[in-house]
């Protein structure tokens, strides 16, 4: 699994002009799944996301996690994270998992986050989505389960 994580002051995802997920302070996760991924990848990344110390303490140092801060997550499925652009001018998405596999693991990942006490909002799997956010910092990290 691959995640683009962005610390956010607020964020929302819209489908056909309707807000389907929205958070205040927390993290926006763009989540991609590849063929070899399983539940162990989702468990590993859920634990990593909620425990990463990427929020400032009273001295301005990144010492607090999402669990410490009490923030929310906006999780958005993103198969294009596995786009291969090395050849030609059009991305190849052969490394992205098939939708049935990807959706199941994406939902499992979101449930793992919720089990940790985090409020998780999502987009709609497979839909064309508009994602807007105010990136706090900016802080943007790439996480990979492999």
């Amino acid at each position: 699994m691959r995640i683009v994580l962005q610390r956010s002051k607020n964020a929302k995802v819209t489908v056909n002009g309707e807000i389907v997920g929205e958070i205040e302070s927390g993290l926006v996760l763009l989540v991609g799944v590849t063929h070899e991924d399983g539940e162990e990848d989702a468990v590993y990344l859920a634990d990593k996301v909620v425990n990463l110390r990427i929020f400032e303490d009273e001295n301005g140092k990144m010492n607090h996690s999402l669990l410490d801060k009490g923030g929310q997550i906006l999780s958005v499925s993103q198969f294009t994270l596995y786009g291969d652009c090395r050849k030609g001018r059009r991305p190849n998405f052969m490394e992205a998992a098939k939708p049935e596999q990807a959706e199941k693991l994406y939902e499992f990942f979101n449930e793992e986050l919720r089990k940790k006490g985090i409020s998780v909002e999502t987009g709609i799997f497979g839909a064309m989505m508009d994602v807007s956010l105010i990136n706090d910092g900016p802080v943007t990290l790439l996480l990979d389960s492999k």
Side-chain angles (χ1 to χ4, degrees):
M1 288 180 75
R2 186 172 288 159
I3 295 175
V4 175
L5 175 153
Q6 295 179 297
R7 196 174 70 183
S8 175
K9 291 184 178 181
N10 61 57
K12 65 182 176 183
V13 61
T14 307
V15 176
N16 296 324
E18 179 182 333
I19 297 172
V20 296
E22 186 171 20
I23 65 166
E24 291 300 320
S25 178
L27 301 174
V28 174
L29 307 178
L30 304 178
V31 182
V33 178
T34 191
H35 305 288
E36 300 92 33
D37 292 334
E39 290 182 354
E40 66 280 358
D41 295 283
V43 169
Y44 168 79
L45 283 175
D47 185 65
K48 179 67 79 173
V49 164
V50 301
N51 287 296
L52 272 175
R53 296 182 343 181
I54 57 172
F55 294 93
E56 282 89 10
D57 63 15
E58 58 281 352
N59 297 316
K61 301 285 185 196
M62 286 187 177
N63 278 325
H64 294 301
S65 70
L66 187 68
L67 287 174
D68 297 330
K69 185 178 179 337
Q72 302 172 291
I73 287 178
L74 177 61
S75 174
V76 179
S77 61
Q78 185 77 41
F79 80 94
T80 61
L81 292 179
Y82 281 100
D84 183 349
C85 299
R86 291 177 291 179
K87 291 185 179 180
R89 297 179 186 250
R90 183 179 313 201
N92 173 328
F93 297 107
M94 296 301 291
E95 291 302 311
K98 299 284 185 228
E100 305 80 36
Q101 176 193 1
E103 184 173 15
K104 182 179 176 185
L105 198 54
Y106 169 70
E107 293 299 336
F108 179 85
F109 170 72
N110 292 328
E111 282 307 311
E112 287 297 304
L113 293 169
R114 289 181 182 110
K115 285 180 187 176
K116 297 177 183 308
I118 302 297
S119 171
V120 179
E121 294 283 318
T122 66
I124 297 176
F125 186 91
M128 290 295 293
M129 296 176 273
D130 296 326
V131 180
S132 62
L133 71 139
I134 297 177
N135 192 323
D136 182 15
V139 173
T140 301
L141 299 168
L142 302 175
L143 304 176
D144 203 312
S145 63
K146 299 300 181 211

